[in-house]
Amino acid sequence: MTPRRAPVLACSVVGAAVVALDGTVLTVAQPALQHDLHAAVGQVQWTSTGYLIAVASLLVFAGRLGDRYGHRRVFAVGALGFAAASTGIALAPGIGAVIALRVLQGVCGALLQPATLGMLRTAYPPERLGTPIAVRTAAIGLAAAAGPLVGGALVSAYGWRAVFLLGVPPALAIGLLALTTREPNHPGGAAHPRDAFHPGDASDPRGAARPRGAARPRDASHPRGAAHPRDAARPRSTPPAPSAARAALDPGGALLLAVTLGLLVHGLVEAARPGRTEAGLLACAAAVGAGLLLARHERRTAHPLLPAELLRSRPVVAGLAVLLAASAALFGTLFVATYFLQDVQGLDPLGCALRVLPLAALMVLGAPFCPPLQRRFGPRRTATAGAALLTGGVLLLSRLDAAAGALAVGVSAALLGAGFVTLMVTATSVVVHRAPEAHAGVAGGLQQTAMNIGPALGVATATLLVALVPGGGFVPAHGAALPALTVIAALALPAALALPGAAQRRGTRPGPPPPRPARRICVRS
C-alpha cells in the first residue's frame, strides 16, 4: 500500500464503522432516552425513522456530489457534520431537538457513506478493490457486533448522552484527515489533463529524440504565433467539455428520488408497526407513483441523476439485487430470532447476543478470505456459494422449535454470517469495480441505498407475517415469517448467477483505449 492510499483506506474504513456503530448503540440507548426526556414511544421511534429516511433519500444525490466536486471533500463535510450533529444530540434539551438533529445527522451520513466507496474507487486500480472493500466490510461487522456491548456499558455508567459522544472523536479525526489529504489517482484512473503526458515519454513529441542538427519544428517550418499541428494532436491542450467533465446535478431527479425513497422507507417502517399497516401501504403506493414520475423524468433529461450506462450494466444491477435480497433476508431473520431467543426462550440481551455471536465473528474473520476466493473462482461462483450459505442459514433457523439448543442456533448464525459477508464483499466489489469511475459516487450511493432499503423491507415483511399468523408467534417452526425470508434469501441465487463469471485479471482495466500517440513531424534542416 502506498503512503497516499493509506489515509484514503483509513477514512473509508473508519467512516463506515462510525456509521454502523451509531446505528447499533442507539437501539440500546432509546429506553433511557425516553425515560430521561419524558418522551412518547412514537417520538423515540422517530429518532430512528427520521435518520433512516434522511439517509436513504439522499445517498444517490450525495454520490453525484462526490463525482462532481470530489469524494474527499464531500466525505470531509459529511464526517465533520456528523460529529457536530452527534455533539448537538448529546447536549439536546428535549426530544424535538433530538429528532431534528438526528435528521441532520442522517443528511451528513448520506454525504459520508457513498464517499467511502468513491474514494476507494479513485484511489485503487479496479482489480485491487477487493481487499480494501473486505477490510471495510470487516470493520462494519466489528462495529455492529461491538455496538450493543459498548452502548450498554456507556448507558449504564454515564447515561444515554455518552452514546452519541462515542463517535465524535473518530468522526472529527477522519474529517480533518480527509481535508489534509490529497485524493490520489490510480494508474488506470482518470488523471487530470495536465498529467496526460510528461516530457520524455515515448508518446510525447517533445520527448522524442531529434537528429543532430535538426531544427525545432516550430522554428523551421511554422510562422511565429501560429498553432502548431502537434498541439492539436496532444490531448492535454484540449480541455474537456464542461458537460463531460462535470455533468449537471439534476436537482429535479434528486428531488423525485428523495421523495420516492423517503416514502418507501416511511411506508415500510409504518407497515411494521401495530395498527399502522394501512398507512404504510398507502405510503408505499405513493412511492411507486413518485418512482414512475422519476423514471419519466430521467428518460427526458439531458444529464440524469441515474446514468443510463450504469443502470444498463448487468453486473451492477445484479450486484445491487444481491445486496437488496441478502440484507432483507438477514435483518428480517435477526428480527424474528431476537424475539424468539428473548421472549420464547427467556434469554436476557447478553445471552441472546452470545447465541448469535458466530454471525458477527464470521463477518469479521471471513471478510479477508473473500478477495482471494473472487480471484480464484470469480464473482459468480463466490456469490452463488454465499447465497447458498445464507439461504441454508435462514432455512435451518426456520425449522427450530421452542426447545432449540445453543448449538442449532449457533450453526444457523454461522451460516448467516458466512453467507452474508461473502455476498456483501463480492457484490460491493462488482458494483464499485464495474461502474465507470466518473459515476463511482452514484454507484456507491446505489450500493448504500440497497443496504438501507433491504433491512427495512425484511423487518416489515417479518412483522406483517408474524401478525398474519398469530398462532405461531415468534417460534420459527410454527410461523410464516422465516419461510418467507428463506424465499427472499433464495432470490439472491439468480442475481448471483448474473454476476461476471471470471475475475478481472491484474493489469487489465475496463475503460476506453488510450489515445494514439501524436505523429512526429519530419523537418528537413
Side-chain angles (χ1 to χ4, degrees):
M1 181 186 301
T2 63
R4 291 178 62 184
R5 286 177 182 164
V8 173
L9 181 61
C11 288
S12 177
V13 170
V14 176
V18 165
V19 174
L21 184 66
D22 179 82
T24 55
V25 298
L26 175 64
T27 305
V28 181
Q30 281 180 330
L33 183 151
Q34 178 186 358
H35 181 269
D36 186 41
L37 298 180
H38 308 286
V41 175
Q43 292 176 312
V44 175
Q45 289 176 335
W46 267 101
T47 61
S48 298
T49 304
Y51 175 89
L52 184 58
I53 291 176
V55 168
S57 60
L58 295 175
L59 281 169
V60 177
F61 183 64
R64 171 58 67 89
L65 290 176
D67 291 333
R68 181 180 174 91
Y69 298 109
H71 303 294
R72 177 181 55 83
R73 296 176 183 174
V74 175
F75 177 87
V77 172
L80 296 177
F82 196 92
S86 299
T87 304
I89 295 172
L91 302 175
I95 187 64
V98 171
I99 295 173
L101 287 169
R102 280 288 290 172
V103 172
L104 176 61
Q105 194 180 41
V107 173
C108 297
L111 294 174
L112 185 154
Q113 292 184 60
T116 62
L117 293 172
M119 289 190 301
L120 294 180
R121 178 64 178 86
T122 56
Y124 287 84
E127 73 276 3
R128 294 186 180 179
L129 278 171
T131 299
I133 288 177
V135 174
R136 177 181 176 274
T137 303
I140 292 174
L142 182 61
L149 300 176
V150 176
L154 288 176
V155 171
S156 300
Y158 304 105
W160 65 269
R161 298 180 187 273
V163 165
F164 291 99
L165 293 175
L166 178 63
V168 172
L172 279 176
I174 58 176
L176 295 175
L177 178 63
L179 286 177
T180 57
T181 301
R182 183 180 176 184
E183 193 167 6
N185 279 321
H186 61 73
H192 193 279
R194 70 168 177 259
D195 299 325
F197 292 98
H198 299 279
D201 288 349
S203 56
D204 188 356
R206 295 176 302 169
R210 189 170 63 250
R212 179 173 300 180
R216 293 183 180 271
R218 181 180 300 274
D219 297 336
S221 63
H222 214 70
R224 182 180 299 272
H228 196 278
R230 77 176 180 194
D231 295 328
R234 284 168 51 200
R236 75 170 203 154
S237 62
T238 305
S243 60
R246 281 190 164 185
L249 292 177
D250 187 18
L255 178 61
L256 287 172
L257 181 62
V259 171
T260 301
L261 294 176
L263 286 172
L264 179 59
V265 172
H266 179 61
L268 293 173
V269 172
E270 287 296 304
R273 294 179 181 174
R276 300 288 298 173
T277 303
E278 293 183 1
L281 294 178
L282 286 176
C284 291
V288 173
L292 294 175
L293 291 177
L294 172 66
R296 180 182 180 185
H297 169 82
E298 292 294 282
R299 286 196 301 266
R300 297 184 175 187
T301 187
H303 300 288
L305 177 67
L306 303 173
E309 59 182 311
L310 198 62
L311 298 181
R312 291 172 184 167
S313 171
R314 180 179 175 181
V316 171
V317 174
L320 294 175
V322 166
L323 293 171
L324 184 65
S327 59
L330 176 69
F331 284 88
T333 301
L334 289 178
F335 174 79
V336 176
T338 301
Y339 278 94
F340 166 65
L341 293 173
Q342 294 190 23
D343 289 2
V344 177
Q345 295 198 330
L347 298 177
D348 59 9
L350 179 59
C352 176
L354 292 176
R355 288 285 179 94
V356 298
L357 185 61
L359 188 154
L362 281 174
M363 278 199 64
V364 175
L365 300 177
F369 293 97
C370 295
L373 289 174
Q374 288 185 66
R375 288 193 291 268
R376 181 169 183 177
F377 300 106
R380 181 184 301 162
R381 286 194 233 175
T382 305
T384 302
L389 290 173
L390 180 67
T391 305
V394 182
L395 179 62
L396 181 60
L397 200 59
S398 70
R399 307 300 294 270
L400 300 182
D401 56 18
L407 179 61
V409 176
V411 171
S412 301
L415 291 174
L416 291 174
F420 184 74
V421 72
T422 303
L423 288 173
M424 185 174 177
V425 173
T426 305
T428 301
S429 299
V430 169
V431 170
V432 178
H433 178 179
R434 298 286 171 163
E437 188 170 347
H439 303 311
V442 174
L446 289 172
Q447 188 270 353
Q448 292 293 323
T449 300
M451 294 299 296
N452 279 272
I453 298 295
L457 177 62
V459 172
T461 301
T463 304
L464 288 174
L465 291 176
V466 167
L468 291 175
V469 188
F474 286 102
V475 179
H478 300 158
L482 286 182
L485 290 169
T486 303
V487 175
I488 293 178
L491 293 177
L493 286 168
L497 292 174
L499 294 176
Q504 186 87 16
R505 293 186 177 274
R506 182 165 296 184
T508 61
R509 302 181 178 88
R516 298 179 61 182
R519 297 178 58 185
R520 290 178 53 194
I521 300 175
C522 180
V523 179
R524 298 182 181 275
S525 57

